[in-house]
């Protein structure tokens, strides 16, 4: 997972990481399920969606994977992990090496927008969880795998 995070970082692309992705130790978006509750906000819309592995159980991720932009599915073993069949391309390839072949974003606006929205959502979500579960520690447990997004490439 670290090599995928580093490849996305070189590109200036945000990474949406699920709890099982192994990427939660990096600066990734973890609250996307909540950020996408009403669809994809304009400020977070990419020009390209690259899905690596499975998208996980969140139906809300479908608002990203169904956008009318190129959708690339990358899986090391060639598994077609797109139940809604929104992907325009399926690649059996090493994810990090595949990302190395893309052009970087022209600026960091999309990654800053996603990370800023994620940072704003975390305290709100934690506050809600702590109110709804009195006398417990506040644990953040988003779901899914991960997506790498690009705008303007």
């Amino acid at each position: 997972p670290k090599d995928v995070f580093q490849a996305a970082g070189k590109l200036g692309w945000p990474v949406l990481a699920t709890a099982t992705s192994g990427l939660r130790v990096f600066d990734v978006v973890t609250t996307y399920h909540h950020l996408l509750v009403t669809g994809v906000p304009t400020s977070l819309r990419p020009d390209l969606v690259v899905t690596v592995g499975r998208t996980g159980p969140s139906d809300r991720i479908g608002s990203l994977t169904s956008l009318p932009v190129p959708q690339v599915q990358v899986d090391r073993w060639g598994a077609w992990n797109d139940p809604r069949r929104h992907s325009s391309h399926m690649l059996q390839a090493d994810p990090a090496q595949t990302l190395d072949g893309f052009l970087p974003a022209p600026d960091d606006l999309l990654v800053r927008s996603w990370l800023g929205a994620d940072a704003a959502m975390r305290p709100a979500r934690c506050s809600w969880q702590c109110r709804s579960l009195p006398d417990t520690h506040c644990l953040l447990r988003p779901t899914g795998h991960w997506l790498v997004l690009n705008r303007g490439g």
Side-chain angles (χ1 to χ4, degrees), residues 9 32 45 51 78-79 98 100 111 120 139 152-153:
Y32 58 84
R45 288 183 185 257
T51 305
T98 301
D100 285 340
V111 72
L139 300 175

Side-chain angles (χ1 to χ4, degrees), residues 68-96:
V69 300
Q71 303 276 338
V72 180
Q73 172 78 39
V74 182
D75 187 84
R76 182 180 313 275
W77 298 278
W80 187 267
N81 295 309
D82 180 15
R84 293 186 180 104
R85 302 295 191 237
H86 292 276
S87 296
S88 53
H89 298 82
M90 170 54 190
L91 303 174
Q92 180 178 355
D94 177 86

